Amino acid sequence: VGDTIRLAVEVRGFGSSADSARLEVRSGRVLARRAVRLGKDGQALVQAAFPSGGLAGDVLLTAGLVNPGDAEPRDDARLWLVRVTPAPGIVMLASPSDWDGRFLFRTLRDVADLPTRGYTRFEAGRWRSMETLAPVRADAVAQAARFADVLVIKGVAPDIARDARARGVWNWPSGEGGETEIVGEWYAAAPSASPLGNAFLGIPVDSFPPLIEVTPIEPAQGDWIGLTAQLARRGADRPVFTGHAFGGRRRVTTAADGLWRWAFRGGASEQAYRALVGVTLDEEAARVQ
């Protein structure tokens, strides 16, 4: 609600001498009108943008030509289904904003099939959009977090998220809340028996850039472990990516910083990072215990 809906419509003319057309986007009423000027090849790409105000739930949009006067009217319109929700599907709170938070937010937007919003806190009580850095009121951030389907918290979990009703929570502590941090070169490994196993099939995770910090955690009984890390390739493996599902709610914890280096490097490590984020958001993956 309140966002702009944008459609890209391709118009083609066949066997016609017309060089222009008129496009309308409707859903019971006209939402947008655009004049279309066909190029020499008889086609054009037109952008239609309009606010989502007054729309709610599942909305069927019709993008069609108005009075084209051609011999085949059945191909003069296309349907598009959009869902207008009161709050973003995924909300990320980064406090503070660091490299891991920035890369995670960018990847969330790329791989998630839900509206995604990110808010970062540079100082106490003052929030900014992670997309534009424009100031955002604390009550607007609280409302988005309260009604989000998936809530991602990078850093300290602020009081603003206390009343969240999210079905999925991704918590990523980074020492801001007083947690112990062990700095070093931590090399990751991916156990095969976890919901994240499919993200790393045939990929040498231990050859990726090392993580830079680990927060010691103790998984609870029944938690799955998706990633472990070993300091300088020696010593015991520590769990750094865990999760569980209970009562229809899912919770994932990431206990290491430096995963952004996988995405920054490109190639196989970047694809593995994107797969990691995508599988973590996958509702079916959370049911594998």
Side-chain angles (χ1 to χ4, degrees), residues 108-279:
L108 286 170
R109 289 190 303 171
D110 288 346
V111 306
D113 191 23
L114 288 171
T116 303
R117 292 292 180 271
Y119 306 97
T120 184
R121 185 170 60 173
F122 290 103
E123 52 188 289
R126 303 190 67 178
W127 293 89
R128 291 182 178 271
S129 165
M130 294 186 72
E131 296 178 272
T132 65
L133 292 183
V136 182
R137 301 191 321 272
D139 60 335
V141 177
Q143 180 176 358
R146 185 178 304 116
F147 294 105
D149 190 51
V150 176
L151 181 61
V152 182
I153 302 173
K154 179 65 177 74
V156 64
D159 293 340
I160 206 168
R162 182 171 298 169
D163 298 327
R165 308 171 187 175
R167 293 188 299 119
V169 177
W170 187 344
N171 191 36
W172 194 323
S174 302
E176 293 82 5
E179 304 92 353
T180 301
E181 291 284 321
I182 305 177
V183 179
E185 291 191 344
W186 292 87
Y187 289 86
S192 58
S194 84
L196 304 185
N198 290 337
F200 305 117
L201 288 176
I203 298 177
V205 177
D206 58 354
S207 69
F208 292 172
L211 310 177
I212 57 178
E213 291 180 350
V214 163
T215 300
I217 59 173
E218 290 293 336
Q221 184 177 2
D223 284 6
W224 52 260
I225 299 175
L227 282 175
T228 61
Q230 190 179 45
L231 182 60
R233 303 187 190 276
R234 297 188 298 271
D237 287 327
R238 291 181 178 269
V240 295
F241 205 108
T242 67
H244 68 266
F246 179 77
R249 304 189 70 182
R250 299 170 284 138
R251 180 174 292 272
V252 173
T253 299
T254 301
D257 281 359
L259 281 167
W260 68 268
R261 303 170 78 186
W262 294 11
F264 184 77
R265 182 177 182 177
S269 63
E270 181 184 17
Q271 294 307 311
Y273 180 83
R274 292 172 63 88
L276 169 67
V277 175
V279 172

Side-chain angles (χ1 to χ4, degrees), residues 15-103:
S16 172
S17 59
D19 61 357
S20 64
R22 188 155 59 95
L23 175 78
E24 286 187 352
V25 180
R26 290 177 167 270
S27 179
R29 58 186 174 90
V30 177
L31 301 172
R33 288 190 178 96
R34 294 292 182 271
V36 182
R37 179 69 64 179
L38 300 179
K40 294 181 179 180
D41 56 355
Q43 59 184 351
L45 184 66
V46 60
Q47 305 286 336
F50 48 93
S52 62
L55 304 176
D58 290 335
V59 180
L60 187 62
L61 303 177
T62 301
L65 301 177
V66 180
N67 298 324
D70 62 3
E72 180 50 84
R74 291 178 298 178
D75 61 358
D76 294 336
R78 290 291 183 268
L79 304 180
W80 194 260
L81 183 66
V82 298
R83 176 169 294 172
V84 182
T85 61
I90 301 175
V91 171
M92 178 174 176
L93 305 179
S95 179
S97 178
D98 56 12
W99 284 107
D100 272 305
R102 294 167 193 166
F103 275 86

